[in-house]
Amino acid sequence: MATRTVQPSFLDLFTPKLVTVLKEGYRLKDLRADAISGLTVAIVALPLSMAIAIASGVTPDRGLYTSIVGGFIVSALGGSRFQIGGPAGAFIVLVSATVAQHGLDGLLIATMLSGFILLAIGLLRLGTFIKYIPYPVTVGFTSGIAIIIFASQIKELLGLTLEHEPGPLLPKLQAIAGALPTASPAAIGTTLATIAIIVLVRRYRPHWPAFIIAVAAASVAAALAGLPVETIGTRFGGIPQTLPLPQLPAFSTAKVVEVLPAALSFALLGCIESLLSAVVADSMSGRRHRSNCELVAQGVANVVTPLFGGFCVTGNIARTATNVRSGARGPVSGMLHSLFLLAFMLVAAPLAAYIPLAALAGVLAVVAWNMAERHQFATLLRASRGDALVLLVTFLLVVFRDLTEGIVAGFVVGALLFLHRMAQAVEIEHARPLVEEDKADAANGEPRKAYDVALATDPDVVVYRISGAFFFGAAASVADALERIGERPKAYVVDFSAVPVLDSTGAVTIESFARKARRKGAEVYITGADRAIRRVLLVHGVKPPLVRFRARLAEAVAAAHEKADEAGPVSPLPQ
């Protein structure tokens, strides 16, 4: 009896994991574990949120707003148990470029638009297709982003005095090289000390919050020693102690049109980054996320967060991994992480004024180093020419052109290489002996006369067996093989039993071949086509009397020989 696959309902696909966890039974010990994990993640997120905001060209408080508001919504509505939302290093390039071109209001509008796009992608259930992005593309754009993030922090790492810092990489490096004489020994020392503390803590006390320890130590040392380094207080005047009241940015039709390309880029990168983070969480925890539900949550977060002055929200791999390793039980941990950040801001905001910008730059330098995926990059370069090409196209375009261009170009090159490989995998065999097929028929209780190999190579009947996905990429090679007919047989048998996929181009190829064969007076038999392939063939005119269908290859060959033995040629179809 055939089994029926039950399709998941709308509620099955879009019920937040928070509801699932609460239905499973949420006890006090679970809350305690989530509180510890949420506090750990908040300590990690505190310096990162401010550092990413500064590197993105906005004030540090906006990074905190993004983590507090966006992070809470992502955890409350998301399709992953462990996802932590907030500002991400991957967005630094796009956000800083958007701020430079369209101002803060333009950034907020682009973020809201990207939220609506993410909502649409999730509700239309398109999140499933994000998994088709090739692995070399993800490694290429991640490594490219790491290069750009590090380059964006050189000014702060060295304490350079630079009136204007260009956005593109090569002009930026030229400007930095010209400003090297203005380097600050105090800033360089603060940077090196911050990085050294992070490395040592991670090596000898891996469960301690290395980022917050390093930033706190650098801040105390700079304040006590009176180091001449720029801080959050000297550049930004500190950070507020409260969340701002929600308000809409200044909308206009012209502004929306201007920032739409940036919004599309935010949405594309948000899809990739958040679902990649959810997959990492699944691999660490053994759980499974709901991709489209996750994108809906990301969309809502990106619509709401700009109302409070925040910018792009996405799932963050480092913070999500920290959440899993800290023993989180569910989304409550991510919600508490946002509440802890809010408490830190309410209580300790004045202390943030003492944080040296060089220390935050050191944090981002470590983040960039971890993002670089050096081993995977080297492995892909050695793996194959195709993977190396996709990797380098993505990487070089991300670094020297544009992030979105790099992802799209890498995906296109990867898709073309895949189609080429699939087309090469399609084979067409001529005059295949049929003894084994007849044995199978006999085993099924349908004994037949043993079929002689000589009959399979009878010049009056030609047998073709197509193996592999018969799609537009392989149609030309299959058509070429079918057209190479030395003799003029009276019948053809085309075996589709090894064809899992047939598209319209393949069907039209068979239809064209069958018409040419009938014009030459030959009959065409098709066998082994399952219901889906047969439907495609029928839709494109491959049906009687142009061709004859048979369920089994032996039946088709027997019918073809019977036809070939009839006196006189087969009547061609009318032109």
Side-chain angles (χ1 to χ4, degrees), residues 50 52-60 62-63 95 99 104 107 236 311:
M50 292 188 290
I52 291 171
I54 294 171
S56 300
V58 296
T59 53
R62 297 190 181 276
V95 172
V99 172
L104 180 59
L107 171 63
F236 303 105
F311 54 99

Side-chain angles (χ1 to χ4, degrees), residues 301-571:
N302 279 283
V303 170
V304 175
T305 300
L307 300 178
F308 293 88
F311 54 99
C312 303
V313 182
T314 189
N316 184 277
I317 295 175
R319 276 163 268 174
T320 299
T322 300
N323 192 35
V324 177
R325 284 196 296 262
S326 300
R329 303 296 174 87
V332 174
S333 172
M335 298 162 67
L336 290 176
H337 130 271
S338 296
L339 296 179
F340 282 126
L341 281 175
L342 177 60
F344 291 158
M345 190 176 71
L346 296 177
V347 174
L351 298 177
Y354 296 99
I355 297 176
L357 298 182
L360 293 180
V363 169
L364 284 182
V366 174
V367 169
W369 176 260
N370 293 333
M371 285 180 64
E373 301 198 53
R374 303 168 302 283
H375 301 299
Q376 295 89 332
F377 198 99
T379 300
L380 286 171
L381 285 178
R382 298 191 302 266
S384 69
R385 292 182 180 179
D387 288 340
L389 177 62
V390 175
L391 174 71
L392 292 175
V393 166
T394 306
F395 175 75
L396 293 175
L397 284 176
V398 166
V399 171
F400 295 106
R401 285 284 300 171
D402 177 77
L403 181 65
T404 307
E405 285 183 22
I407 294 174
V408 172
F411 180 80
V412 170
V413 173
L416 291 175
L417 287 172
F418 171 76
L419 293 177
H420 177 67
R421 290 166 180 166
M422 288 293 292
Q424 288 184 321
V426 176
E427 296 180 353
I428 181 164
E429 301 171 79
H430 172 48
R432 180 182 177 88
L434 305 178
V435 177
E436 292 301 321
E437 282 78 356
D438 287 327
K439 288 181 181 177
D441 287 342
N444 290 329
E446 300 178 9
R448 295 181 181 275
K449 182 175 67 174
Y451 200 85
D452 193 276
V453 176
L455 294 178
T457 57
D458 188 332
D460 287 340
V461 177
V462 174
V463 179
Y464 286 110
R465 177 181 172 87
I466 303 174
S467 304
F470 190 3
F471 69 113
F472 63 90
S477 59
V478 172
D480 183 59
L482 292 173
E483 292 298 328
R484 291 199 299 266
I485 303 170
E487 305 86 5
R488 294 192 59 179
K490 297 176 182 178
Y492 296 94
V493 176
V494 183
D495 182 8
F496 273 83
S497 60
V499 177
V501 176
L502 176 72
D503 71 352
S504 58
T505 308
V508 170
T509 300
I510 296 298
E511 191 268 347
S512 175
F513 164 73
R515 289 197 174 277
K516 290 179 181 179
R518 290 302 301 271
R519 282 199 294 269
K520 296 177 182 179
E523 194 81 18
V524 177
Y525 291 85
I526 291 179
T527 181
D530 63 25
R531 182 178 298 179
I533 289 177
R534 188 165 177 165
R535 181 180 178 278
V536 176
L537 290 170
L538 293 173
V539 166
H540 289 84
V542 185
K543 56 187 176 182
L546 181 62
V547 300
R548 308 289 178 184
F549 286 94
R550 294 292 185 272
R552 293 180 175 84
L553 181 57
E555 293 176 3
V557 172
H561 278 285
E562 182 180 344
K563 191 71 176 179
D565 290 340
E566 292 180 359
V570 178
S571 301

Side-chain angles (χ1 to χ4, degrees), residues 59 103 177 190 194 208 213 218 226 241 259 276 290 296 409 458 480 550:
T59 53
T190 303
T194 301
W208 289 11
I213 291 174
Q241 287 186 267
V259 301
L276 183 60
R290 301 180 183 124
V296 168
D458 188 332
D480 183 59
R550 294 292 185 272

Side-chain angles (χ1 to χ4, degrees), residues 21 56 105 161:
V21 169
S56 300
D105 278 344
T161 301

